[in-house]
Amino acid sequence: DTEVTQTPKHLVMGMTNKKSLKCEQHMGHRAMYWYKQKAKKPPELMFVYSYEKLSINESVPSRFSPECPNSSLLNLHLHALQPEDSALYLCASSQDRRGAYNEQFFGPGTRLTVL
Amino acid sequence: GDSVTQMEGPVTLSEEAFLTINCTYTATGYPSLFWYVQYPGEGLQLLLKATKADDKGSNKGFEATYRKETTSFHLEKGSVQVSDSAVYFCALKTNFGNEKLTFGTGTRLTIIP
């Protein structure tokens, strides 16, 4: 199994809602990532988990709350989002966080719309 | 800091044309270099990679050679197809500093029949 899966594919939520994005990989990778991608832009890194511990938080607002329940799963909990948070949210994984040669494998993304 | 510069798009070519998308980089140490492709409505897929100078990455008819002397990793394909229409991102990762994947701005490629 060489893929990263993400659910849901699409999500529409109001500014007062609480929702979660889910990501799963079964490649035995020990690093997992959340990215945010706006239209016509490259992905922007949000969080990095390494061996199930948060190792990088790119100064993301607290309305985004990541969680890594185990080495295969990564969640992104959303609460009180703003319309400008509408974007494609991508999950990725790699064998390890360190090492220039460790390529990242991306999931298909969740298209989030905040009304 | 690390940076990747890609040629401005969009690029429009006819089917079977030769493709070059330029990519140059600035990095500390010896980065690995990657090309990712994003088809409409999808996530990123790794297209090819090279981890040291003079390495050539290749996949699906695409090639790129890691040129340390010119700090470049240009993407080429001899004969493009309509199915190659996508956004292409050049990226690098180093062993130093923040160890993040640094992306270029992306180049949108459209192939017309």
Side-chain angles (χ1 to χ4, degrees), chain A residues 9 33 35 37 40-43 45 56 58 88 90 96-109 111, chain B residues 30-34 36 38 41-46 49 51 89 93-95 98-101 103-106 108:
Chain A
K9 191 170 176 60
Y33 310 79
Y35 288 85
Q37 186 181 25
K40 300 187 179 181
K41 297 288 187 183
L45 183 66
I56 295 178
E58 288 290 290
L88 180 67
L90 294 164
D96 197 288
R97 179 172 73 92
R98 298 184 182 277
Y101 46 86
N102 278 311
E103 66 261 37
Q104 294 182 20
F105 294 84
F106 285 80
R111 176 76 57 190
Chain B
Y30 305 100
S32 289
L33 301 172
F34 307 90
Y36 283 88
Q38 187 171 31
E42 298 185 11
L44 274 69
Q45 297 178 26
L46 179 66
K49 71 173 185 179
T51 58
F89 291 98
K93 191 169 187 291
T94 71
N95 283 319
N98 56 34
E99 300 177 2
K100 296 182 206 174
L101 193 58
F103 287 96
T105 52
R108 181 173 299 276

Side-chain angles (χ1 to χ4, degrees), chain B residues 30-83:
Chain B
Y30 305 100
S32 289
L33 301 172
F34 307 90
W35 276 103
Y36 283 88
V37 58
Q38 187 171 31
Y39 298 102
E42 298 185 11
L44 274 69
Q45 297 178 26
L46 179 66
L47 182 59
L48 52 85
K49 71 173 185 179
T51 58
K52 61 183 188 297
D54 299 325
D55 266 2
K56 178 186 282 188
S58 61
N59 186 25
K60 300 181 181 179
F62 290 90
E63 293 183 341
T65 301
Y66 189 151
R67 302 284 188 202
K68 191 167 184 293
E69 63 276 13
T70 54
T71 61
S72 65
F73 193 54
H74 304 321
L75 183 67
E76 296 182 336
K77 186 176 185 184
S79 177
V80 293
Q81 306 300 312
V82 172
S83 56

Side-chain angles (χ1 to χ4, degrees), chain A:
Chain A
D1 187 353
T2 58
E3 67 173 335
V4 176
T5 58
Q6 291 187 243
T7 55
K9 191 170 176 60
H10 299 277
L11 179 62
V12 179
M13 60 187 290
M15 289 190 284
T16 58
N17 292 157
K18 285 185 181 181
K19 297 286 185 183
S20 297
L21 309 184
K22 296 185 184 303
C23 173
E24 190 166 6
Q25 57 88 14
H26 293 289
M27 294 178 277
H29 289 173
R30 303 315 300 265
M32 296 186 76
Y33 310 79
W34 279 116
Y35 288 85
K36 173 182 178 180
Q37 186 181 25
K38 300 286 273 186
K40 300 187 179 181
K41 297 288 187 183
E44 298 173 25
L45 183 66
M46 300 174 72
F47 302 104
V48 181
Y49 272 82
S50 179
Y51 291 82
E52 300 158 51
K53 294 191 188 307
L54 183 65
S55 57
I56 295 178
N57 176 341
E58 288 290 290
S59 303
V60 178
S62 60
R63 57 186 184 269
F64 295 91
S65 175
E67 178 196 20
C68 189
N70 61 54
S71 60
S72 300
L73 292 173
L74 186 65
N75 298 321
L76 186 63
H77 302 298
L78 314 172
H79 174 55
L81 294 194
Q82 304 297 310
E84 59 265 29
D85 296 323
S86 299
L88 180 67
Y89 288 84
L90 294 164
C91 175
S93 70
S94 65
Q95 186 67 39
D96 197 288
R97 179 172 73 92
R98 298 184 182 277
Y101 46 86
N102 278 311
E103 66 261 37
Q104 294 182 20
F105 294 84
F106 285 80
T110 293
R111 176 76 57 190
L112 174 67
T113 302
V114 182
L115 301 176

